[in-house]
Amino acid sequence: MLALTVLALLGPAPPRAGALNLEEWLPGLTLTPFLSERMEYETNVFQTSSNEKSSMISRTTPGFLVEYGRGTLQLAAGYRAEILRYFDLQGLDTINHNFVGQATLTLAKLQLKFRDDYVQTIVPPGTELTGPIKSSTNTLAPTAEYWLTDRFSLGANYTWTHIQFPGSDSGSAANAGAQAQQNQAVKQLDRDEHLGGLTVFWKFWPASDLGLGYQYGTKSFASATDRDARIHIVSLQVRGDVTSKLSSTFRIGIMHREEVAGVAPNFTGVTMGGGWIFRMSDRTTFTLDTERSVQESVFENSQYYVNTSATFGVRQEFSRKLSASLRVAAGTNDYNTRQPLDAVRTKWRHDNLAGGTLGLEYALQPWLRTGLDYTFQGRGSNFRPLNYEDSRIAGRITLQF
């Protein structure tokens, strides 16, 4: 379970082949190296409403996962690089980095977990920002859970997230002005987020728990201190295997976000996350992921927006070698202040979001896989210059031991 969690944090990966056994050097030690090459064509790299720029893109992804497990202690560390080359656009070539380390100590009544996740990427965070935007995020997340009885346990969690937007240079003269303006806008989002709390879990089924928790957090911005906020969340969550076919990470609750400086209105409303996995058979799996959260904004003088989204997925294995997957997503962004639409009108901005991915994967060998996929995403806004559509078609081959 620890290895699967770490692989998920490193990014999309194919089903695992057998890891390299290093028991000769250290009992309990394994190594999983992988290498993927992906070629794709993207129709709207900067995700703009007009003057779209397209390009062929190569993504070379080397990485590894190291695991160690002895008795009550489980350790794992992984790294993945993504080397991007844009054949038709200058100044965008870059390398994304992903690192994750995780440790789990399980005693008779106590379980301790520690995780650190570092990501440097040009994929924009949230659903407001578009186009390649360089950012780095480090998330430190220790947790503890103590079993009071066979059916009740108490969990404690803390998360520290450090987010920076160092900016990126564009060698394309046509895009240099927009890139500089965007770098200046997102720089105000540099911040530290702290969130901690307690949760009481009740084991209502042998492999599933119901949790009631309270979280308190702060957001402290490096330069735009008028954005600082305090967060209170009361939530209910379902975790584990609800039935032999259905498992859950779903949570729902009420959030109160208090703006410290009072520049923006406070927010009180529903928040949710996580999802459900339904294994209809050994070959067919359905997933439903949900999110409702408050995201930081750089649109006009808005401080934040509320994103609500759901993603439905299905994976079908036709044979031991051939499988197909489909993911369809829809959502909205709702802003909390009126902004000028033209010289005489103002409106609350509202975005409709849609996207989907259709893919095929074929296993040439247990350690060698190839695949094709098509991805679409689009945004429709009542502020029409913010509309866009973007498509990608890609082929890949992955080597993993």
Side-chain angles (χ1 to χ4, degrees):
M1 181 61 71
L2 177 65
L4 293 178
T5 302
V6 173
L7 277 175
L9 292 170
L10 286 174
R16 301 185 66 209
L20 301 178
N21 193 323
L22 304 180
E23 293 273 353
E24 294 182 3
W25 288 275
L26 182 65
L29 183 66
T30 60
L31 172 66
T32 305
F34 55 88
L35 175 65
S36 177
E37 181 65 34
R38 176 184 173 98
M39 291 293 297
E40 67 182 40
Y41 175 75
E42 183 171 4
T43 61
N44 190 1
V45 172
F46 298 104
Q47 297 167 346
T48 57
S49 60
S50 59
N51 299 319
E52 295 92 344
K53 304 291 184 181
S54 61
S55 180
M56 287 292 299
I57 307 169
S58 71
R59 298 175 184 264
T60 304
T61 308
F64 67 89
L65 172 66
V66 179
E67 304 167 73
Y68 171 77
R70 294 289 287 181
T72 61
L73 180 63
Q74 301 289 323
L75 302 174
Y79 171 76
R80 176 173 66 91
E82 187 178 42
I83 305 166
L84 281 78
R85 181 186 176 192
Y86 291 77
F87 292 92
D88 305 309
L89 296 171
Q90 296 180 349
L92 295 180
D93 294 356
T94 190
I95 302 176
N96 295 331
H97 301 276
N98 293 261
F99 168 80
V100 61
Q102 186 164 307
T104 302
L105 178 64
T106 304
L107 304 176
K109 289 191 173 185
L110 178 66
Q111 185 178 76
L112 301 175
K113 289 186 178 181
F114 176 90
R115 189 187 81 208
D116 187 71
D117 183 18
Y118 175 79
V119 178
Q120 178 183 301
T121 182
I122 60 170
V123 177
T127 53
E128 177 185 88
L129 301 174
T130 57
I133 298 176
K134 189 174 183 179
S135 67
S136 63
T137 302
N138 191 85
T139 304
L140 181 67
T143 63
E145 186 170 351
Y146 181 77
W147 281 267
L148 303 169
T149 69
D150 291 341
R151 303 192 70 179
F152 287 93
S153 63
L154 179 64
N157 68 281
Y158 168 73
T159 303
W160 170 37
T161 306
H162 179 69
I163 302 169
Q164 281 188 309
F165 293 86
S168 56
D169 298 324
S170 174
S172 171
N175 190 58
Q179 187 74 58
Q181 184 179 13
Q182 179 173 262
N183 289 345
Q184 184 178 6
V186 299
K187 190 64 180 174
Q188 63 185 299
L189 299 183
D190 290 359
R191 64 191 184 273
D192 286 291
E193 299 183 357
H194 300 269
L195 184 68
L198 296 173
T199 303
V200 176
F201 292 100
W202 170 52
K203 187 176 290 294
F204 68 94
W205 204 249
S208 56
D209 302 298
L210 194 63
L212 177 64
Y214 168 76
Q215 310 283 316
Y216 172 77
T218 62
K219 295 191 177 190
S220 302
F221 290 78
S223 58
T225 56
D226 59 335
R227 290 176 169 269
D228 291 356
R230 289 187 286 263
I231 308 294
H232 302 266
I233 303 173
V234 177
S235 63
L236 185 69
Q237 60 177 292
V238 182
R239 68 173 187 179
D241 297 327
V242 181
T243 70
S244 60
K245 294 181 177 291
L246 180 66
S247 60
S248 170
T249 58
F250 179 73
R251 66 185 185 277
I252 188 168
I254 300 295
M255 169 192 285
H256 175 70
R257 172 175 168 140
E258 177 187 357
E259 302 297 319
V260 175
V263 175
N266 295 337
F267 170 83
T268 302
V270 175
T271 180
M272 63 181 173
W276 304 84
I277 300 175
F278 178 66
R279 302 172 186 84
M280 190 173 71
S281 68
D282 292 340
R283 294 190 172 188
T284 306
T285 302
F286 295 93
T287 60
L288 178 64
D289 298 312
T290 58
E291 181 178 6
R292 180 176 169 83
S293 61
V294 177
Q295 304 286 337
E296 310 306 320
S297 172
V298 295
F299 175 66
E300 300 294 345
N301 62 356
S302 296
Q303 299 279 38
Y304 62 83
Y305 63 95
V306 179
N307 170 252
T308 306
S309 63
T311 303
F312 172 79
V314 59
R315 177 180 173 84
Q316 176 66 48
E317 295 184 7
F318 299 104
S319 67
R320 295 179 60 184
K321 291 181 175 291
L322 180 63
S323 63
S325 61
L326 172 68
R327 291 176 63 85
V328 179
T332 61
N333 290 339
D334 292 292
Y335 288 72
N336 65 329
T337 56
R338 298 180 72 97
Q339 302 297 336
L341 184 65
D342 51 38
V344 295
R345 294 180 298 168
T346 62
K347 279 189 176 183
W348 280 284
R349 177 179 164 182
H350 174 81
D351 300 340
N352 291 313
L353 311 169
T357 298
L358 176 63
L360 288 172
E361 185 175 78
Y362 185 77
L364 300 171
Q365 296 291 337
W367 45 268
L368 183 62
R369 293 177 175 269
T370 185
L372 294 171
D373 60 75
Y374 170 78
T375 300
F376 169 83
Q377 61 176 323
R379 179 171 68 195
S381 176
N382 55 352
F383 286 72
R384 295 191 180 279
L386 302 175
N387 296 350
Y388 76 85
E389 292 184 353
D390 184 23
S391 297
R392 297 183 186 188
I393 184 167
R396 69 183 185 280
I397 186 165
T398 301
L399 176 68
Q400 178 177 326
F401 294 99

